[in-house]
Amino acid sequence: MSHDGAAGAGAWLELAVEADVEAVEAVSEILGRAAPGGTSVEPAFELIDEGLGARLDPTRPAIVRAYLPARDRTAADRAAAEVAEALGHLQAFGLRPIGELRIRVVDEADWSEAWKAYFPVLRIGRRLVIRPTWRRHHREPGDVVLALDPGMAFGTGLHPTTRLCLAGAEGLADRGVLAGARVLDVGCGSGILAIAALRLGAATALGIDTDPIAIEATTANARRNRLVRRLRARLGSLPSGEPAFDVVLANLIAGLLVPLAPALHGEVRPGGSLLASGIFVDREAEVRGAFEAAGLRVADRLSEGDWVALEAVRPA
């Protein structure tokens, strides 16, 4: 744990950790426990288009940052020590490389703008563009632009599971499946998948999540993208209590997808599609088995690194 600087009245402690892309969510969760302002993720990227755009480099680590108020330095140091201990346990698993916790003092005036530098415009798939709200983007013909505020701390499109779901949604749109569709986004997070589905041709979307912060984030991002009338978000889980949907998006984890398979089947109308992501390759066979046992037919598969997304159809 490296340390740097002395705190003034309006200062923050910045905690920063380099993490393999696959470990970003676990590291963010640990830092987020200590940080009332949430976490930000600086993906490893190279700048392209004369610095206006960026391309992700998933082979290099991302940097996860969190900020703690440093007015009570003893409390801040205690919180930082707890973070260091939890990261140590995560490093002991040896699943993915995680760097040393770096700590420095940042003045209030610098902090509010500093983290915005870490988010470029990201292009995903052929048409989807994720634009942080404060960045400008020169739209190419056919671009589908999603305006998001990564300050919401999650759902920025960085993680392979999100990118796979976005690529899968683009594939559904290419085949006309999203045209005029009613969409359910299970575990909506920032609302990124529901917003993408609407931008790709869906008529309406419902986002559900068990985290109130996710509902706030989805609602705020719906407003940013002028989709308030077409995107609803509410606290809850499955079953949704709504009529079955044309398309269901579920970027969860295998440990949730397996027990939820019968409920997911119930949310998809006969002839409709389920796009499920968040599946580590070692759990793919288990998820496939659960879907097929529930009456869903796996029709397609996308993969990136060790992650898999499955497209399944409920037979008509």
Coordinates of all heavy atoms in Angstrom, one line a residue, residues 99-168:
G99 N -3.2 -5.1 -8.8 CA -2.0 -4.4 -8.4 C -2.0 -3.9 -7.0 O -3.0 -4.2 -6.2
E100 N -1.0 -3.2 -6.6 CA -0.9 -2.6 -5.2 C -1.9 -1.5 -5.1 O -2.2 -0.7 -6.0 CB 0.5 -2.1 -5.0 CG 0.8 -1.5 -3.7 CD 2.1 -0.8 -3.6 OE1 2.6 -0.4 -4.6 OE2 2.6 -0.5 -2.5
L101 N -2.5 -1.3 -3.9 CA -3.4 -0.2 -3.6 C -2.5 1.1 -3.5 O -1.6 1.1 -2.6 CB -4.1 -0.4 -2.3 CG -5.0 0.7 -1.8 CD1 -6.2 1.0 -2.8 CD2 -5.6 0.4 -0.4
R102 N -2.8 2.1 -4.3 CA -2.1 3.4 -4.2 C -3.0 4.4 -3.6 O -4.2 4.5 -4.0 CB -1.6 3.8 -5.6 CG -0.6 2.8 -6.2 CD 0.1 3.5 -7.4 NE -0.8 4.1 -8.4 CZ -1.4 3.4 -9.4 NH1 -1.2 2.1 -9.5 NH2 -2.2 4.0 -10.2
I103 N -2.5 5.2 -2.7 CA -3.3 6.2 -2.0 C -2.7 7.6 -2.2 O -1.5 7.7 -2.0 CB -3.4 5.9 -0.5 CG1 -4.1 4.5 -0.3 CG2 -4.2 7.0 0.2 CD1 -4.1 4.0 1.1
R104 N -3.5 8.6 -2.5 CA -2.9 10.0 -2.6 C -4.0 10.9 -2.2 O -5.2 10.6 -2.3 CB -2.3 10.3 -4.0 CG -3.3 10.5 -5.0 CD -2.7 10.7 -6.4 NE -3.7 10.9 -7.4 CZ -4.0 12.1 -8.1 NH1 -3.3 13.1 -7.8 NH2 -4.9 12.1 -9.0
V105 N -3.6 12.1 -1.8 CA -4.5 13.2 -1.4 C -4.8 14.0 -2.6 O -3.9 14.4 -3.3 CB -4.0 14.0 -0.3 CG1 -4.9 15.2 0.1 CG2 -3.7 13.2 1.0
V106 N -6.1 14.3 -2.8 CA -6.5 15.1 -4.0 C -7.4 16.3 -3.4 O -8.3 16.1 -2.6 CB -7.4 14.3 -5.0 CG1 -7.8 15.2 -6.2 CG2 -6.6 13.1 -5.4
D107 N -7.1 17.5 -3.9 CA -7.9 18.7 -3.4 C -9.3 18.6 -4.0 O -9.4 18.2 -5.2 CB -7.2 20.0 -3.9 CG -6.0 20.3 -3.0 OD1 -6.0 19.8 -1.8 OD2 -5.1 21.0 -3.4
E108 N -10.2 19.1 -3.3 CA -11.6 19.1 -3.7 C -11.8 19.7 -5.1 O -12.4 19.2 -6.0 CB -12.4 20.0 -2.7 CG -13.9 20.2 -3.1 CD -14.8 19.2 -2.5 OE1 -14.7 19.0 -1.2 OE2 -15.6 18.6 -3.2
A109 N -11.1 20.8 -5.4 CA -11.2 21.5 -6.7 C -10.8 20.6 -7.8 O -11.4 20.7 -8.9 CB -10.4 22.8 -6.7
D110 N -9.7 19.9 -7.6 CA -9.2 19.0 -8.7 C -10.1 17.8 -8.9 O -10.3 17.3 -10.0 CB -7.8 18.5 -8.3 CG -6.8 19.7 -8.1 OD1 -7.1 20.7 -8.8 OD2 -5.9 19.6 -7.4
W111 N -10.6 17.3 -7.7 CA -11.3 16.0 -7.8 C -12.5 15.9 -8.7 O -12.7 15.0 -9.5 CB -11.7 15.6 -6.3 CG -12.5 14.3 -6.3 CD1 -12.1 13.1 -6.5 CD2 -13.9 14.3 -6.1 NE1 -13.1 12.2 -6.4 CE2 -14.3 12.9 -6.1 CE3 -14.9 15.2 -5.8 CZ2 -15.6 12.5 -5.9 CZ3 -16.2 14.8 -5.6 CH2 -16.5 13.4 -5.7
S112 N -13.3 16.9 -8.6 CA -14.6 16.9 -9.3 C -14.4 16.8 -10.8 O -15.3 16.2 -11.5 CB -15.5 18.1 -8.9 OG -14.8 19.2 -9.3
E113 N -13.4 17.3 -11.3 CA -13.1 17.2 -12.8 C -12.1 16.1 -13.1 O -12.2 15.6 -14.2 CB -12.6 18.6 -13.3 CG -13.6 19.7 -13.3 CD -14.8 19.4 -14.2 OE1 -14.6 18.9 -15.3 OE2 -15.9 19.6 -13.7
A114 N -11.2 15.8 -12.2 CA -10.1 14.9 -12.6 C -10.6 13.6 -13.1 O -10.1 13.1 -14.2 CB -9.3 14.7 -11.3
W115 N -11.6 12.9 -12.5 CA -11.9 11.6 -13.0 C -12.5 11.5 -14.3 O -12.5 10.5 -15.0 CB -12.7 10.8 -11.9 CG -14.1 11.4 -11.7 CD1 -14.4 12.4 -10.8 CD2 -15.3 11.1 -12.4 NE1 -15.7 12.7 -10.8 CE2 -16.3 11.9 -11.8 CE3 -15.6 10.2 -13.4 CZ2 -17.6 11.8 -12.2 CZ3 -17.0 10.1 -13.8 CH2 -17.9 11.0 -13.2
K116 N -13.1 12.7 -14.8 CA -13.7 12.7 -16.1 C -12.7 12.5 -17.2 O -13.1 12.0 -18.3 CB -14.4 14.1 -16.3 CG -15.6 14.3 -15.4 CD -16.4 15.5 -15.8 CE -17.7 15.6 -15.0 NZ -18.5 16.8 -15.4
A117 N -11.5 12.7 -17.0 CA -10.4 12.5 -18.0 C -10.3 11.0 -18.3 O -9.8 10.7 -19.4 CB -9.1 13.1 -17.5
Y118 N -10.8 10.2 -17.4 CA -10.5 8.7 -17.6 C -11.5 8.1 -18.6 O -11.3 6.9 -18.9 CB -10.6 8.0 -16.3 CG -9.7 8.6 -15.2 CD1 -10.2 8.7 -13.9 CD2 -8.5 9.1 -15.5 CE1 -9.4 9.2 -12.9 CE2 -7.7 9.6 -14.5 CZ -8.2 9.7 -13.2 OH -7.4 10.2 -12.2
F119 N -12.5 8.8 -19.0 CA -13.5 8.1 -19.9 C -13.6 8.7 -21.3 O -14.0 9.8 -21.5 CB -14.9 8.3 -19.2 CG -15.1 7.5 -18.0 CD1 -14.9 8.0 -16.8 CD2 -15.5 6.2 -18.1 CE1 -15.1 7.2 -15.6 CE2 -15.7 5.4 -17.0 CZ -15.4 5.9 -15.8
P120 N -13.1 7.9 -22.2 CA -13.2 8.3 -23.6 C -14.5 7.9 -24.2 O -15.3 7.3 -23.6 CB -12.1 7.5 -24.3 CG -12.1 6.2 -23.5 CD -12.4 6.6 -22.1
V121 N -14.8 8.4 -25.4 CA -15.9 7.8 -26.2 C -15.5 6.4 -26.6 O -14.4 6.2 -27.1 CB -16.2 8.7 -27.5 CG1 -17.2 8.1 -28.3 CG2 -16.6 10.1 -27.0
L122 N -16.4 5.4 -26.4 CA -16.1 4.0 -26.7 C -17.0 3.6 -27.8 O -18.2 3.8 -27.8 CB -16.4 3.1 -25.5 CG -15.4 3.2 -24.3 CD1 -15.9 2.3 -23.2 CD2 -14.0 2.8 -24.8
R123 N -16.4 2.9 -28.8 CA -17.2 2.3 -29.9 C -17.3 0.8 -29.6 O -16.3 0.1 -29.4 CB -16.5 2.6 -31.2 CG -17.3 2.1 -32.5 CD -16.6 2.6 -33.7 NE -16.8 4.0 -34.0 CZ -18.0 4.5 -34.5 NH1 -18.9 3.7 -34.8 NH2 -18.1 5.8 -34.7
I124 N -18.5 0.2 -29.7 CA -18.7 -1.2 -29.4 C -19.5 -1.8 -30.6 O -20.5 -1.2 -31.0 CB -19.5 -1.4 -28.1 CG1 -18.6 -1.0 -26.9 CG2 -19.9 -2.8 -27.9 CD1 -19.3 -1.0 -25.6
G125 N -19.0 -2.9 -31.1 CA -19.7 -3.5 -32.3 C -19.5 -2.6 -33.5 O -18.6 -1.7 -33.6
R126 N -20.4 -2.6 -34.4 CA -20.3 -1.8 -35.7 C -20.9 -0.5 -35.5 O -20.4 0.5 -36.1 CB -21.0 -2.5 -36.9 CG -20.3 -3.8 -37.3 CD -21.0 -4.4 -38.5 NE -22.4 -4.1 -38.6 CZ -23.3 -4.8 -37.9 NH1 -23.0 -5.7 -37.1 NH2 -24.6 -4.5 -38.1
R127 N -22.0 -0.3 -34.8 CA -22.7 0.9 -34.8 C -22.8 1.6 -33.4 O -23.1 2.8 -33.4 CB -24.2 0.6 -35.2 CG -24.3 0.2 -36.7 CD -25.7 0.0 -37.1 NE -26.3 -1.2 -36.5 CZ -27.6 -1.5 -36.4 NH1 -28.5 -0.6 -36.8 NH2 -28.0 -2.6 -36.0
L128 N -22.7 0.9 -32.3 CA -23.0 1.4 -31.0 C -21.8 2.3 -30.5 O -20.6 1.9 -30.6 CB -23.2 0.3 -30.0 CG -24.6 -0.4 -30.2 CD1 -24.6 -1.7 -29.3 CD2 -25.8 0.5 -29.9
V129 N -22.1 3.5 -30.0 CA -21.1 4.4 -29.5 C -21.6 4.8 -28.1 O -22.7 5.3 -27.9 CB -21.0 5.6 -30.4 CG1 -20.0 6.7 -29.8 CG2 -20.5 5.2 -31.8
I130 N -20.7 4.6 -27.1 CA -21.0 5.1 -25.7 C -20.3 6.4 -25.5 O -19.1 6.4 -25.5 CB -20.6 4.0 -24.7 CG1 -21.4 2.8 -24.9 CG2 -20.9 4.6 -23.3 CD1 -21.0 1.6 -24.0
R131 N -21.1 7.5 -25.3 CA -20.5 8.8 -25.2 C -20.7 9.3 -23.8 O -21.9 9.5 -23.4 CB -21.2 9.8 -26.2 CG -20.7 11.2 -26.1 CD -21.3 12.1 -27.1 NE -22.7 12.4 -26.7 CZ -23.1 13.3 -25.8 NH1 -22.3 14.0 -25.1 NH2 -24.4 13.4 -25.6
P132 N -19.6 9.5 -23.0 CA -19.8 10.1 -21.7 C -20.4 11.5 -21.9 O -20.1 12.2 -22.9 CB -18.4 10.3 -21.2 CG -17.6 9.2 -21.9 CD -18.2 9.1 -23.2
T133 N -21.3 11.9 -21.0 CA -22.2 13.1 -21.3 C -21.4 14.4 -21.5 O -21.8 15.3 -22.2 CB -23.1 13.3 -20.1 OG1 -22.3 13.3 -18.9 CG2 -24.2 12.3 -20.0
W134 N -20.1 14.5 -21.0 CA -19.3 15.7 -21.1 C -18.4 15.7 -22.4 O -17.7 16.6 -22.6 CB -18.5 16.0 -19.9 CG -17.5 14.8 -19.6 CD1 -16.3 14.7 -20.1 CD2 -17.8 13.7 -18.8 NE1 -15.7 13.5 -19.7 CE2 -16.6 12.9 -18.9 CE3 -18.9 13.2 -18.1 CZ2 -16.5 11.7 -18.2 CZ3 -18.8 12.0 -17.4 CH2 -17.6 11.3 -17.5
R135 N -18.5 14.6 -23.1 CA -17.6 14.5 -24.3 C -18.4 14.7 -25.6 O -19.6 14.4 -25.7 CB -16.9 13.1 -24.4 CG -15.9 12.9 -23.3 CD -14.8 12.0 -23.8 NE -13.8 11.7 -22.8 CZ -12.7 12.5 -22.5 NH1 -12.5 13.6 -23.2 NH2 -11.9 12.2 -21.6
R136 N -17.7 15.3 -26.6 CA -18.4 15.5 -27.9 C -18.0 14.3 -28.8 O -16.9 13.7 -28.6 CB -17.9 16.8 -28.5 CG -18.3 18.0 -27.6 CD -17.8 19.3 -28.2 NE -18.4 19.6 -29.5 CZ -18.1 20.7 -30.1 NH1 -17.3 21.6 -29.6 NH2 -18.7 21.0 -31.3
H137 N -18.9 14.0 -29.7 CA -18.6 12.9 -30.6 C -19.0 13.3 -32.0 O -20.2 13.7 -32.2 CB -19.3 11.6 -30.2 CG -19.3 10.5 -31.2 ND1 -18.1 9.9 -31.6 CD2 -20.3 10.0 -31.9 CE1 -18.4 9.0 -32.5 NE2 -19.7 9.0 -32.7
H138 N -18.2 13.1 -33.0 CA -18.5 13.4 -34.4 C -19.2 12.1 -34.9 O -18.6 11.1 -35.1 CB -17.3 13.7 -35.2 CG -17.6 13.9 -36.7 ND1 -18.3 14.9 -37.1 CD2 -17.3 13.1 -37.8 CE1 -18.5 14.8 -38.4 NE2 -17.8 13.7 -38.8
R139 N -20.5 12.2 -35.1 CA -21.3 11.0 -35.4 C -21.1 10.6 -36.9 O -21.2 11.4 -37.8 CB -22.8 11.4 -35.2 CG -23.8 10.3 -35.5 CD -25.2 10.8 -35.5 NE -25.6 11.3 -34.2 CZ -26.4 10.6 -33.4 NH1 -26.8 9.4 -33.8 NH2 -26.8 11.1 -32.2
E140 N -20.7 9.3 -37.0 CA -20.6 8.8 -38.4 C -22.0 8.3 -38.9 O -22.9 8.1 -38.0 CB -19.7 7.5 -38.4 CG -18.3 7.8 -37.9 CD -17.5 8.5 -38.9 OE1 -17.7 8.4 -40.1 OE2 -16.6 9.3 -38.5
P141 N -22.2 8.2 -40.2 CA -23.5 7.7 -40.7 C -23.8 6.4 -40.1 O -22.9 5.5 -40.1 CB -23.4 7.7 -42.2 CG -22.2 8.6 -42.5 CD -21.3 8.6 -41.3
G142 N -25.0 6.2 -39.5 CA -25.4 4.9 -39.0 C -25.0 4.7 -37.5 O -25.4 3.7 -36.9
D143 N -24.3 5.6 -36.9 CA -23.9 5.5 -35.5 C -25.2 5.5 -34.6 O -26.1 6.3 -34.8 CB -23.0 6.7 -35.0 CG -21.5 6.4 -35.3 OD1 -21.2 5.4 -35.9 OD2 -20.7 7.3 -35.0
V144 N -25.2 4.6 -33.6 CA -26.2 4.6 -32.6 C -25.6 5.1 -31.3 O -24.8 4.3 -30.7 CB -26.8 3.2 -32.5 CG1 -27.9 3.2 -31.3 CG2 -27.5 2.8 -33.8
V145 N -25.8 6.3 -30.9 CA -25.1 6.9 -29.8 C -25.9 6.8 -28.5 O -27.1 7.2 -28.4 CB -24.8 8.4 -30.1 CG1 -24.0 9.0 -28.9 CG2 -24.0 8.5 -31.4
L146 N -25.2 6.3 -27.4 CA -25.8 6.2 -26.1 C -25.1 7.2 -25.2 O -23.9 7.1 -25.1 CB -25.7 4.8 -25.5 CG -25.9 3.6 -26.4 CD1 -25.7 2.3 -25.6 CD2 -27.3 3.6 -27.0
A147 N -25.8 8.2 -24.6 CA -25.1 9.1 -23.7 C -25.3 8.6 -22.3 O -26.4 8.5 -21.8 CB -25.8 10.5 -23.9
L148 N -24.1 8.3 -21.7 CA -24.1 7.8 -20.3 C -23.2 8.6 -19.4 O -22.3 9.2 -19.9 CB -23.6 6.4 -20.3 CG -24.5 5.3 -20.9 CD1 -23.9 3.9 -20.6 CD2 -25.9 5.3 -20.2
D149 N -23.6 8.6 -18.1 CA -22.7 9.3 -17.2 C -22.0 8.2 -16.4 O -22.6 7.6 -15.5 CB -23.5 10.2 -16.3 CG -22.6 11.0 -15.3 OD1 -21.4 10.7 -15.2 OD2 -23.2 11.9 -14.6
P150 N -20.7 7.9 -16.7 CA -20.1 6.8 -15.9 C -19.8 7.1 -14.5 O -19.4 6.3 -13.7 CB -18.7 6.6 -16.7 CG -18.9 7.3 -18.0 CD -19.9 8.4 -17.7
G151 N -20.1 8.4 -14.1 CA -20.1 8.7 -12.6 C -21.1 7.9 -11.8 O -21.0 7.8 -10.6
M152 N -22.0 7.3 -12.5 CA -23.0 6.4 -11.9 C -22.3 5.1 -11.4 O -22.8 4.3 -10.7 CB -24.1 5.9 -12.8 CG -25.0 7.0 -13.3 SD -25.8 7.8 -12.0 CE -26.9 8.9 -12.9
A153 N -21.0 4.9 -11.8 CA -20.1 3.9 -11.2 C -20.3 2.5 -11.8 O -19.5 1.6 -11.4 CB -20.2 3.9 -9.7
F154 N -21.2 2.3 -12.7 CA -21.3 0.9 -13.2 C -22.0 1.0 -14.5 O -22.7 1.9 -14.9 CB -22.0 0.0 -12.2 CG -23.3 0.4 -11.7 CD1 -24.4 -0.5 -11.7 CD2 -23.5 1.7 -11.3 CE1 -25.6 -0.1 -11.2 CE2 -24.8 2.1 -10.8 CZ -25.8 1.2 -10.8
G155 N -21.9 -0.1 -15.3 CA -22.6 -0.1 -16.6 C -22.0 0.8 -17.6 O -22.8 1.5 -18.4
T156 N -20.7 0.9 -17.7 CA -20.1 1.9 -18.6 C -19.8 1.2 -20.0 O -19.2 1.8 -20.9 CB -18.8 2.5 -18.1 OG1 -17.9 1.4 -17.7 CG2 -19.1 3.3 -16.8
G157 N -20.0 -0.1 -20.1 CA -19.7 -0.8 -21.3 C -18.3 -1.4 -21.3 O -17.8 -2.0 -22.3
L158 N -17.5 -1.2 -20.2 CA -16.2 -1.7 -20.1 C -16.1 -3.2 -20.1 O -15.4 -3.9 -20.7 CB -15.5 -1.1 -18.9 CG -14.2 -1.8 -18.5 CD1 -13.1 -1.5 -19.5 CD2 -13.8 -1.4 -17.1
H159 N -17.0 -3.8 -19.2 CA -16.8 -5.2 -18.9 C -17.2 -6.1 -20.1 O -18.2 -5.7 -20.8 CB -17.6 -5.6 -17.7 CG -17.1 -6.8 -17.0 ND1 -17.7 -8.1 -17.4 CD2 -16.2 -7.1 -16.1 CE1 -17.0 -9.0 -16.7 NE2 -16.1 -8.4 -16.0
P160 N -16.5 -7.2 -20.4 CA -16.9 -8.0 -21.5 C -18.3 -8.5 -21.5 O -18.9 -8.6 -22.5 CB -15.9 -9.2 -21.4 CG -14.8 -8.7 -20.6 CD -15.3 -7.6 -19.7
T161 N -18.9 -8.7 -20.3 CA -20.3 -9.2 -20.3 C -21.2 -8.2 -20.8 O -22.2 -8.5 -21.5 CB -20.7 -9.5 -18.8 OG1 -20.6 -8.4 -18.0 CG2 -19.8 -10.6 -18.2
T162 N -21.0 -6.9 -20.5 CA -21.8 -5.8 -21.1 C -21.6 -5.7 -22.6 O -22.5 -5.5 -23.3 CB -21.5 -4.5 -20.4 OG1 -21.5 -4.6 -19.0 CG2 -22.5 -3.4 -20.7
R163 N -20.3 -5.7 -23.0 CA -20.0 -5.6 -24.4 C -20.7 -6.7 -25.2 O -21.2 -6.5 -26.3 CB -18.5 -5.6 -24.7 CG -17.9 -4.3 -24.1 CD -16.6 -4.0 -24.9 NE -15.6 -5.0 -24.8 CZ -14.7 -5.1 -23.8 NH1 -14.7 -4.2 -22.8 NH2 -13.8 -6.1 -23.7
L164 N -20.6 -8.0 -24.7 CA -21.2 -9.1 -25.4 C -22.8 -8.9 -25.5 O -23.3 -9.2 -26.5 CB -21.0 -10.4 -24.6 CG -19.6 -11.0 -24.7 CD1 -19.4 -12.1 -23.7 CD2 -19.3 -11.5 -26.1
C165 N -23.4 -8.4 -24.4 CA -24.8 -8.2 -24.5 C -25.2 -7.1 -25.5 O -26.1 -7.2 -26.3 CB -25.4 -7.8 -23.1 SG -26.8 -8.8 -22.6
L166 N -24.3 -6.1 -25.6 CA -24.6 -5.0 -26.6 C -24.4 -5.5 -28.0 O -25.2 -5.2 -28.9 CB -23.6 -3.8 -26.3 CG -23.9 -3.0 -25.1 CD1 -22.7 -2.1 -24.7 CD2 -25.2 -2.2 -25.3
A167 N -23.3 -6.4 -28.2 CA -23.1 -6.9 -29.5 C -24.3 -7.9 -29.9 O -24.7 -7.9 -31.0 CB -21.8 -7.7 -29.5
G168 N -24.8 -8.6 -28.9 CA -25.9 -9.5 -29.2 C -27.2 -8.7 -29.5 O -27.9 -9.1 -30.4

